Amino acid sequence: MIVVMEQSASEEQVAKVIETLVQVGYDVHRSTGVNHTVLGAVGTPRRPLEPSALELIPGVREVVKVSEPYKLVGRTFKPEDTVVNVGGVPVGGPEVVAMAGPCAVESREQIFAVARAVAASGARVLRGGAFKPRTSPYAFQGLGEQGLIWMREASAEAGLSVVSEIMDVRTLDMMLGYVDCLQVGTRNMQNFDLLRELGKVRMPVLLKRGLSATIEEWLLSAEYILAGGNHQVILCERGIRTFENATRNTLDISAIPVVKKRSHLPILVDPSHATGRRDKVLPMARASIAAGADGLLIEVHDNPDQALSDGAQSLFPEQFDRLMGELRIIAPVLGRTLPLARMPAAGGS
Ligand code: PEP
Ligand code: MN
């Protein structure tokens, strides 16, 4: 249930409504908008509370019964776009944000080289896995904490924020010391214990869409995090499993406008995992921004042919530079901006 307060409602009136909802057993989430305060009542009440009874409380404008199974991630609860602060980088505002870097941190030299290159091209966030969810248990599994230490150093030098994937709640406290955003990978989108723990921290979460998840299931996973009290969630479309096998996955571009209509959360697109081939990354990146995505998550490697994971889909730094140049032309058409390149990228094309 969503309670929309009058523009003129006083703090006492808001407090009275919250008290009434809590008394019957609801958890109450508050959204203080530009015009209205909105209260989201979630959970199962111990006794029924009729919307008409709430509407009689002074200061209440209207009570809306939300038919969607998700509440806090929905636009009814919060009509304005959410802007998530990733270590000082706003995601979901007018600026299109590029998060770029290798699939996995492999060495100190590699992560420094990639960080410098992507920063020069205008990326704002460094991506890189320290814990890798690999299909085979014999494949490279990531460098763990050492990878995060090097990532943090490289990002500090290059002036970037850091996003890295969390696979296990047992690494949460350790990871909080190194990253600006925790990524939940496609395979963990419905790891509800992990999502619940991420709801308790005050750290942005990049939530990837599950391999076979519907948009509703994806939004419900985000709801777990918001219901825990952490409202800093960014969604990431990364392709879904279909019968098509010409690309690694099928990029669901239509998910962007669907999510934008249903939810206030920002949405990024990962064209690297979506297509699995570097020659498909640039056209899909263009399409994503044209369709209204708030940014991109892109794999870039200084030597992709020697990469320990996902080399085939990783861009050369000069390809990433070209991609950013093209997005700088597309973004203004959509009323968006993109940061300028800081200096000529190494080996630019
Ligand atoms: C990744 O971005 O490193 C990754 C493993 O992606 P996904 O979870 O989308 O497969
Ligand atoms: Mn990868």
Side-chain angles (χ1 to χ4, degrees):
M1 196 154 47
I2 304 283
V3 183
V4 184
M5 301 298 296
E6 294 285 4
Q7 211 163 345
S8 58
S10 66
E11 262 314 302
E12 289 72 34
Q13 291 173 329
V14 175
K16 177 73 193 153
V17 178
I18 295 176
E19 190 192 317
T20 310
L21 292 166
V22 168
Q23 260 170 9
V24 297
Y26 278 116
D27 280 334
V28 181
H29 293 255
R30 178 176 180 161
S31 161
T32 310
V34 194
N35 294 319
H36 298 276
T37 291
V38 180
L39 303 172
V42 295
T44 319
R46 285 184 297 273
R47 55 191 159 84
L49 181 62
E50 284 307 313
S52 52
L54 278 169
E55 270 166 354
L56 291 175
I57 302 177
V60 173
R61 180 190 160 110
E62 66 171 324
V63 180
V64 187
K65 277 206 157 182
V66 184
S67 51
E68 291 95 9
Y70 46 82
K71 317 281 177 214
L72 306 177
V73 305
R75 285 254 182 219
T76 319
F77 171 59
K78 185 169 183 281
E80 308 89 21
D81 289 341
T82 287
V83 179
V84 176
N85 180 343
V86 177
V89 177
V91 180
E95 184 184 310
V96 169
V97 174
M99 304 189 178
C103 178
V105 184
E106 299 172 5
S107 67
R108 192 171 192 280
E109 295 65 38
Q110 172 238 24
I111 196 68
F112 269 78
V114 178
R116 279 184 202 122
V118 298
S121 300
R124 303 291 308 271
V125 182
L126 179 65
R127 65 143 288 147
F131 298 98
K132 294 305 302 174
R134 305 305 301 281
T135 304
S136 163
Y138 308 117
F140 175 60
Q141 305 283 312
L143 298 177
E145 187 168 1
Q146 182 62 70
L148 294 171
I149 294 171
W150 287 332
M151 237 185 136
R152 190 77 252 175
E153 286 175 12
S155 69
E157 189 206 67
L160 298 167
S161 297
V162 169
V163 60
S164 196
E165 178 167 353
I166 180 161
M167 287 174 53
D168 188 326
V169 285
R170 288 171 295 185
T171 63
L172 178 56
D173 286 344
M174 179 276 285
M175 290 191 76
L176 290 176
Y178 299 108
V179 303
D180 300 299
C181 184
L182 288 160
Q183 178 175 324
V184 175
T186 196
R187 294 159 188 84
N188 272 314
M189 188 205 83
Q190 287 189 319
N191 181 339
F192 300 119
D193 288 335
L194 177 61
L195 300 178
R196 262 193 220 95
E197 288 305 312
L198 294 176
K200 293 181 195 160
V201 297
R202 294 296 168 266
M203 167 70 70
V205 176
L206 180 72
L207 179 65
K208 288 193 144 192
R209 181 175 181 181
L211 277 177
S212 305
T214 63
I215 291 172
E216 185 171 294
E217 288 164 343
W218 185 19
L219 292 175
L220 278 167
S221 288
E223 184 84 10
Y224 267 86
I225 304 171
L226 271 76
N230 183 1
H231 289 225
Q232 298 277 289
V233 175
I234 304 164
L235 300 164
C236 181
E237 161 63 42
R238 48 80 69 209
I240 49 175
R241 278 265 164 101
T242 68
F243 53 83
E244 181 54 68
N245 58 12
T247 48
R248 185 176 178 183
N249 293 287
T250 299
L251 181 55
D252 183 6
I253 292 275
S254 58
I256 304 161
V258 172
V259 163
K260 280 279 168 205
K261 177 136 197 216
R262 294 192 192 182
S263 176
H264 51 85
L265 296 175
I267 178 169
L268 303 188
V269 170
D270 172 350
S272 310
H273 290 89
T275 63
R277 293 190 45 156
R278 75 173 71 97
D279 62 335
K280 306 286 182 285
V281 169
L282 210 160
M284 290 300 96
R286 290 188 207 116
S288 302
I289 297 309
D294 295 297
L296 297 160
L297 183 72
I298 297 195
E299 288 187 340
V300 180
H301 198 291
D302 59 331
N303 190 358
D305 295 332
Q306 299 298 317
L308 296 181
S309 58
D310 286 349
Q313 67 194 33
S314 299
L315 297 185
F316 288 90
E318 52 269 32
Q319 289 178 311
F320 179 67
D321 196 54
R322 187 177 325 134
L323 181 153
M324 294 295 281
E326 292 193 9
L327 296 186
R328 259 178 224 111
I329 299 168
I330 296 172
V333 178
L334 299 144
R336 319 268 321 229
T337 60
L338 210 78
L340 291 174
R342 288 197 217 153
M343 53 178 151
S349 57

